[in-house]
Structures are given as structure tokens and as C-alpha cells.
Amino acid sequence: MIWVGIGLIIIGIAFMALVVFLIKPLNNLAGVFSSLQKTTDELPKTVDEITLQATKTMGTSVETLDQVNNQVKELSPLFHIVGDAGRATNQLTSTMVNAVDDMKVNTQNGNDFATRKNLEGFYGALTLGYILFQKNKEMKNEKNTINM
């Protein structure tokens, strides 16, 4: 029985030493829990402020989107007009390309004829004469304009 008492006393002393040893870490842990309590007490206010700001931002976004939608509705006919003009221009250029291709084929036939008959020099002389005639005519018009 004495050994049991001695064992209990040793266990008690060891437990007391453990308690003395753990006092500082437990106090630090109590400080952490106290700081955590302060943070969690402020959390609902912070969440309310963030929610309010998010609500205002969403409201502003909705208004901005409404304005953009209205402006797009106003510009939509303009986009249709531009698209129609683009399609018309495309059709016109396609027609012009076809006409140029046809002219190229026609002039190629004439070019082949001139090459076969050795008339290149003759057509060159005719072209030079025509250009000189046009220049002479322009100079006379300018001279008449200056004299008036």
C-alpha cells in the first residue's frame, strides 16, 4: 500500500510539473482564441458592407448593360445599312472583275491577231499619234482659257 501512495505522489508531482510547463503555451493559445473572437465579431459587419457594395456594383452593371443594349438597338439599323452597302460593293466589284476579265480576253485576241500579222509597230504608232493629238487638244484648250 505504501508503494501505491508513493506512485500516486510521483504521478501528482509529474502532473503538476506538466501543468506548470504548459501554462505559457496555453496562455498563448488563449490569446489566439481571444483575437479570433474579435475577428469573428467583426465578420458580420464586414460581410454586410461587402454585400452592400456588391449589390451597388451589380445595380450599376445592370444600368450600364441597359444603356449598352439601347445604344446597340439604335445602331442596329446602321449596321444593317453598312452590311447592305458592303454586299452591294462586293457585287459591283464582282461585276467589274468580270468585265475586266472579258476585256482582257478580247484584247488578248486582238493582241494575238497583231502578233500574227506583225502589226505591233503599227498599233504603237497609232497609239502614240492618238496621245499626241489629245495633248495638243488639251494645250489649245488651256491657251483659249488663258486668252479669255
Side-chain angles (χ1 to χ4, degrees):
M1 213 45 201
I2 291 180
W3 290 108
V4 174
I6 292 174
L8 285 175
I9 290 176
I10 291 175
I11 290 174
I13 292 173
F15 187 70
M16 199 155 147
L18 181 67
V19 168
V20 169
F21 179 72
L22 290 178
I23 285 177
K24 187 166 184 169
L26 289 175
N27 278 337
N28 288 341
L29 185 61
V32 169
F33 282 139
S34 172
S35 177
L36 182 65
Q37 179 65 35
K38 288 179 185 175
T39 303
T40 55
D41 286 344
E42 294 174 6
L43 190 61
K45 291 178 187 175
T46 306
V47 169
D48 287 341
E49 289 175 5
I50 291 173
T51 304
L52 181 63
Q53 289 176 357
T55 304
K56 287 180 182 178
T57 304
M58 298 269 285
T60 305
S61 327
V62 167
E63 290 175 7
T64 304
L65 281 174
D66 285 341
Q67 290 175 353
V68 168
N69 284 337
N70 288 337
Q71 291 174 355
V72 167
K73 284 179 187 175
E74 291 174 6
L75 289 176
S76 183
L78 181 65
F79 291 144
H80 289 295
I81 291 170
V82 169
D84 291 343
R87 283 188 286 280
T89 305
N90 186 17
Q91 190 174 21
L92 177 65
T93 56
S94 295
T95 304
M96 290 178 69
V97 166
N98 291 339
V100 168
D101 284 342
D102 291 344
M103 183 168 281
K104 183 178 178 183
V105 168
N106 292 339
T107 57
Q108 185 64 35
N109 291 338
N111 213 5
D112 292 342
F113 176 76
T115 304
R116 276 194 314 246
K117 302 292 182 181
N118 294 324
L119 298 174
E120 295 98 355
F122 177 69
Y123 285 129
L126 281 176
T127 304
L128 181 61
Y130 179 75
I131 290 172
L132 291 174
F133 176 74
Q134 290 294 330
K135 287 292 183 181
N136 190 18
K137 189 176 178 181
E138 286 178 18
M139 289 181 71
K140 284 183 182 178
N141 286 340
E142 286 180 17
K143 191 174 183 181
N144 287 338
T145 306
I146 292 173
N147 289 336
M148 289 183 173

